[in-house]
Amino acid sequence: MQAQLIALDWGTTSLRAYKLGSNGQVLDQRSLASGIMHLPSAPRMIAGQSCADGFELAFDEACGDWLDAQPSLPVIACGMVGSAQGWREAAYCDTPANVANLGSSLQTVRSLRGIDVHIVPGVIQRSRLPNVMRGEETQVLGVLQNLPVMAGDNLLIGLPGSHSKWVEVVEGCITHFDTFMTGELFAVLSEHSILGRTQQRTPAFDGAAFDRGVQVALSVDGEIGPLSTLFSARSLGLTGELSATAQPDYLSGLLIGHELSALATVHRHRRHSAKLPSIILIGNAQLCARYQRALDTCGFPHVTLAEQATERGLWQLAVSAGLLGKTAPVQPD
């Protein structure tokens, strides 16, 4: 099958490249450790010129051979590549944001190959405490294009990670989202605080310790917050109730439990309803499995996992921007 689009998911630590064919079918894909903070630096020849620019080097490494074979392929990219520290800044679009207004706001950078790389803007939610996302908006749009229009009436799309996002949608638009720095806080506490001194990391997942952490977070809901319960990750170890190998998963469950407890409270308050929403999760399979386990404990009624959200979202944005002409949308699997 002939390729029609190169789609790049270019974040802080990694660069994922997809060669897409008709209707967004993935023909080839690759992943590089060339995020915007880890760009290559060794100069090499690109398009007959000596180049030392990290973005050009990473771009050429990711898809230079694809462009050698098909020089006219359009290229679209999302993620931190469009940040102020990226290849070309793509200013945030305000909420509500959808495929149409994001697709019409792409920023373009011309590569040494003479290829225009079209960069997707992030989304900003302006309020007393503003909120932003870059890359997640594309994943959300990739999920929405396979949902009925009214499916977002009681739906949250969750993107677990260093900065977990929980996104509300209305009629195909991103209308509101909350950010929890759960993953980054876990890393900081494990690596740079007293809690990490007694931890022993192992590849095996301790489900019982994780569940205990979630339950502790839920048991103190509305009484004390994580700043108090966090110390139990150390004190339970000192009293012999939590082994060194169990402590990392206990801490993970504790933090995720507090995140989901707060999420449920905020959602009930915003919707003026005791009914919890259905959840669609996007992201790393192992991390999503933890969240799915914790969401079930927290009483969320229906949780599903989305696949190929980024590729689908980038395809939809390319179609909306006219990069592919009149191309049919991706069909559900």
Side-chain angles (χ1 to χ4, degrees):
M1 182 186 293
Q2 190 83 341
Q4 296 191 25
L5 179 72
I6 291 175
L8 306 177
D9 177 11
W10 203 336
T12 302
T13 59
S14 65
L15 166 57
R16 294 181 178 85
Y18 304 92
K19 183 166 65 172
L20 304 181
S22 178
N23 288 332
Q25 180 180 346
V26 177
L27 305 179
D28 197 1
Q29 64 184 69
R30 54 187 59 152
S31 180
L32 291 73
S34 298
I36 69 162
M37 302 303 291
H38 301 88
L39 295 169
S41 57
R44 69 169 182 269
M45 298 297 291
I46 298 177
Q49 304 177 56
S50 178
C51 176
D53 181 272
F55 288 103
E56 292 280 3
L57 293 169
F59 176 62
D60 193 68
E61 184 180 355
C63 53
D65 57 332
W66 294 344
L67 290 167
D68 286 340
Q70 287 184 254
S72 61
L73 276 178
V75 180
I76 189 169
C78 70
M80 292 300 288
V81 67
S83 70
Q85 295 77 39
W87 199 356
R88 172 67 54 82
E89 185 172 9
Y92 291 109
C93 285
D94 288 271
T95 54
N98 59 15
V99 167
N101 54 33
L102 287 168
S104 65
S105 303
L106 304 183
Q107 293 296 311
T108 303
V109 59
R110 175 65 62 92
S111 71
L112 280 179
R113 287 176 165 273
I115 300 294
D116 286 335
V117 179
H118 303 272
I119 300 176
V120 180
V123 173
I124 185 168
Q125 176 182 288
R126 300 185 189 275
S127 62
R128 183 176 64 87
L129 299 176
N131 219 331
V132 296
M133 63 168 72
R134 277 198 189 276
E136 295 94 346
E137 75 293 322
T138 301
Q139 294 176 297
V140 170
L141 296 178
V143 168
L144 290 182
Q145 62 92 23
N146 276 339
L147 293 177
V149 172
M150 299 307 292
D153 281 358
N154 196 36
L155 171 71
L156 278 176
I157 298 176
L159 302 102
S162 295
H163 302 161
S164 296
K165 306 285 185 184
W166 294 94
V167 184
E168 293 183 13
V169 294
V170 176
E171 296 182 355
C173 289
I174 297 170
T175 58
H176 181 92
F177 56 97
D178 296 294
T179 301
F180 295 83
M181 292 180 61
T182 308
E184 184 168 347
L185 183 57
F186 175 81
V188 169
L189 291 172
S190 297
E191 298 169 15
H192 303 290
S193 84
I194 192 68
L195 300 185
R197 298 292 181 89
T198 55
Q199 289 185 3
Q200 184 178 334
R201 306 294 288 271
T202 66
F205 172 60
D206 191 327
F210 179 83
D211 293 343
R212 184 176 185 177
V214 174
Q215 291 288 1
V216 168
L218 297 182
S219 69
V220 299
D221 181 32
E223 299 174 9
I224 57 176
L227 292 180
S228 177
T229 59
L230 284 174
F231 192 68
S232 65
R234 176 171 173 81
S235 62
L236 287 171
L238 296 175
T239 58
E241 298 175 66
L242 203 63
S243 69
T245 57
Q247 289 171 32
D249 287 317
Y250 171 81
L251 178 60
S252 173
L254 190 64
L255 289 169
I256 291 174
H258 278 295
E259 174 186 343
L260 298 183
S261 176
L263 182 72
T265 299
V266 167
H267 188 82
R268 288 185 178 115
H269 176 75
R270 188 174 295 132
R271 293 297 183 101
H272 304 289
S273 171
K275 184 180 179 182
L276 289 174
S278 296
I279 301 289
I280 297 177
L281 293 177
I282 306 170
N284 173 273
Q286 290 183 328
L287 184 56
C288 283
R290 286 180 181 249
Y291 271 79
Q292 191 166 19
R293 186 179 183 121
L295 284 160
D296 183 63
T297 301
C298 294
F300 285 83
H302 186 62
V303 182
T304 57
L305 305 180
E307 296 181 351
Q308 296 187 321
T310 304
E311 306 95 293
R312 292 176 183 274
L314 285 167
W315 178 266
Q316 290 298 311
L317 287 164
V319 171
S320 177
L323 302 185
L324 303 171
K326 294 183 178 179
T327 309
V330 181
Q331 297 302 312
D333 294 334

